[in-house]
mmCIF file of all heavy atoms in Angstrom:
data_model
loop_
_atom_site.group_PDB
_atom_site.id
_atom_site.type_symbol
_atom_site.label_atom_id
_atom_site.label_comp_id
_atom_site.label_asym_id
_atom_site.label_seq_id
_atom_site.Cartn_x
_atom_site.Cartn_y
_atom_site.Cartn_z
ATOM 1 N N HIS B 43 -36.705 38.107 -29.181
ATOM 2 C CA HIS B 43 -37.389 37.981 -27.884
ATOM 3 C C HIS B 43 -37.907 39.316 -27.363
ATOM 4 O O HIS B 43 -38.201 39.440 -26.172
ATOM 5 C CB HIS B 43 -36.457 37.357 -26.852
ATOM 6 C CG HIS B 43 -36.425 35.862 -26.931
ATOM 7 N ND1 HIS B 43 -37.502 35.079 -26.617
ATOM 8 C CD2 HIS B 43 -35.448 35.017 -27.331
ATOM 9 C CE1 HIS B 43 -37.182 33.813 -26.803
ATOM 10 N NE2 HIS B 43 -35.954 33.746 -27.239
ATOM 11 N N LEU B 44 -38.014 40.301 -28.281
ATOM 12 C CA LEU B 44 -38.422 41.643 -27.864
ATOM 13 C C LEU B 44 -39.738 41.644 -27.105
ATOM 14 O O LEU B 44 -39.913 42.377 -26.137
ATOM 15 C CB LEU B 44 -38.551 42.545 -29.096
ATOM 16 C CG LEU B 44 -37.316 43.333 -29.504
ATOM 17 C CD1 LEU B 44 -37.655 44.232 -30.671
ATOM 18 C CD2 LEU B 44 -36.784 44.138 -28.336
ATOM 19 N N ARG B 45 -40.715 40.868 -27.574
ATOM 20 C CA ARG B 45 -42.035 40.882 -26.960
ATOM 21 C C ARG B 45 -42.299 39.650 -26.088
ATOM 22 O O ARG B 45 -43.423 39.435 -25.658
ATOM 23 C CB ARG B 45 -43.130 40.978 -28.036
ATOM 24 C CG ARG B 45 -42.979 42.149 -28.994
ATOM 25 C CD ARG B 45 -43.102 43.473 -28.315
ATOM 26 N NE ARG B 45 -44.443 43.748 -27.829
ATOM 27 C CZ ARG B 45 -44.803 44.895 -27.258
ATOM 28 N NH1 ARG B 45 -43.922 45.860 -27.092
ATOM 29 N NH2 ARG B 45 -46.033 45.075 -26.843
ATOM 30 N N SER B 46 -41.251 38.857 -25.853
ATOM 31 C CA SER B 46 -41.443 37.648 -25.052
ATOM 32 C C SER B 46 -41.671 37.999 -23.591
ATOM 33 O O SER B 46 -41.106 38.965 -23.081
ATOM 34 C CB SER B 46 -40.208 36.748 -25.149
ATOM 35 O OG SER B 46 -39.999 36.334 -26.461
ATOM 36 N N ASP B 47 -42.522 37.180 -22.919
ATOM 37 C CA ASP B 47 -42.689 37.390 -21.483
ATOM 38 C C ASP B 47 -41.580 36.650 -20.733
ATOM 39 O O ASP B 47 -40.751 35.952 -21.329
ATOM 40 C CB ASP B 47 -44.086 36.933 -21.028
ATOM 41 C CG ASP B 47 -44.341 35.470 -21.322
ATOM 42 O OD1 ASP B 47 -43.437 34.798 -21.855
ATOM 43 O OD2 ASP B 47 -45.456 34.996 -21.031
ATOM 44 N N HIS B 48 -41.588 36.833 -19.405
ATOM 45 C CA HIS B 48 -40.526 36.269 -18.564
ATOM 46 C C HIS B 48 -40.389 34.759 -18.747
ATOM 47 O O HIS B 48 -39.278 34.239 -18.893
ATOM 48 C CB HIS B 48 -40.822 36.613 -17.101
ATOM 49 C CG HIS B 48 -39.765 36.148 -16.156
ATOM 50 N ND1 HIS B 48 -39.953 35.072 -15.327
ATOM 51 C CD2 HIS B 48 -38.512 36.595 -15.924
ATOM 52 C CE1 HIS B 48 -38.854 34.885 -14.613
ATOM 53 N NE2 HIS B 48 -37.964 35.798 -14.953
ATOM 54 N N GLU B 49 -41.527 34.070 -18.775
ATOM 55 C CA GLU B 49 -41.510 32.608 -18.858
ATOM 56 C C GLU B 49 -40.817 32.125 -20.135
ATOM 57 O O GLU B 49 -40.002 31.188 -20.109
ATOM 58 C CB GLU B 49 -42.951 32.091 -18.801
ATOM 59 C CG GLU B 49 -43.061 30.651 -18.332
ATOM 60 C CD GLU B 49 -44.474 30.123 -18.487
ATOM 61 O OE1 GLU B 49 -45.420 30.937 -18.396
ATOM 62 O OE2 GLU B 49 -44.619 28.914 -18.702
ATOM 63 N N THR B 50 -41.137 32.794 -21.252
ATOM 64 C CA THR B 50 -40.540 32.410 -22.532
ATOM 65 C C THR B 50 -39.026 32.611 -22.512
ATOM 66 O O THR B 50 -38.267 31.754 -22.979
ATOM 67 C CB THR B 50 -41.155 33.250 -23.681
ATOM 68 O OG1 THR B 50 -42.564 33.327 -23.481
ATOM 69 C CG2 THR B 50 -40.843 32.654 -25.017
ATOM 70 N N VAL B 51 -38.594 33.760 -21.953
ATOM 71 C CA VAL B 51 -37.163 34.055 -21.906
ATOM 72 C C VAL B 51 -36.438 33.058 -20.997
ATOM 73 O O VAL B 51 -35.345 32.585 -21.314
ATOM 74 C CB VAL B 51 -36.928 35.511 -21.438
ATOM 75 C CG1 VAL B 51 -35.445 35.799 -21.300
ATOM 76 C CG2 VAL B 51 -37.541 36.495 -22.416
ATOM 77 N N VAL B 52 -37.082 32.702 -19.862
ATOM 78 C CA VAL B 52 -36.481 31.732 -18.943
ATOM 79 C C VAL B 52 -36.331 30.375 -19.634
ATOM 80 O O VAL B 52 -35.273 29.737 -19.560
ATOM 81 C CB VAL B 52 -37.328 31.603 -17.653
ATOM 82 C CG1 VAL B 52 -36.927 30.370 -16.852
ATOM 83 C CG2 VAL B 52 -37.174 32.847 -16.796
ATOM 84 N N THR B 53 -37.380 29.960 -20.355
ATOM 85 C CA THR B 53 -37.308 28.690 -21.080
ATOM 86 C C THR B 53 -36.184 28.723 -22.109
ATOM 87 O O THR B 53 -35.437 27.756 -22.270
ATOM 88 C CB THR B 53 -38.651 28.405 -21.804
ATOM 89 O OG1 THR B 53 -39.710 28.637 -20.885
ATOM 90 C CG2 THR B 53 -38.703 26.979 -22.315
ATOM 91 N N TRP B 54 -36.066 29.860 -22.782
ATOM 92 C CA TRP B 54 -35.021 30.010 -23.796
ATOM 93 C C TRP B 54 -33.630 29.883 -23.170
ATOM 94 O O TRP B 54 -32.810 29.062 -23.610
ATOM 95 C CB TRP B 54 -35.185 31.367 -24.507
ATOM 96 C CG TRP B 54 -34.068 31.681 -25.445
ATOM 97 C CD1 TRP B 54 -33.798 31.056 -26.634
ATOM 98 C CD2 TRP B 54 -33.055 32.670 -25.262
ATOM 99 N NE1 TRP B 54 -32.680 31.602 -27.204
ATOM 100 C CE2 TRP B 54 -32.211 32.594 -26.392
ATOM 101 C CE3 TRP B 54 -32.780 33.612 -24.272
ATOM 102 C CZ2 TRP B 54 -31.095 33.433 -26.546
ATOM 103 C CZ3 TRP B 54 -31.683 34.453 -24.427
ATOM 104 C CH2 TRP B 54 -30.853 34.360 -25.551
#
Side-chain angles (χ1 to χ4, degrees):
Chain B
H43 277 293
L44 269 184
R45 306 296 292 184
S46 298
D47 59 1
H48 183 254
E49 203 188 330
T50 317
V51 176
V52 166
T53 313
W54 173 69

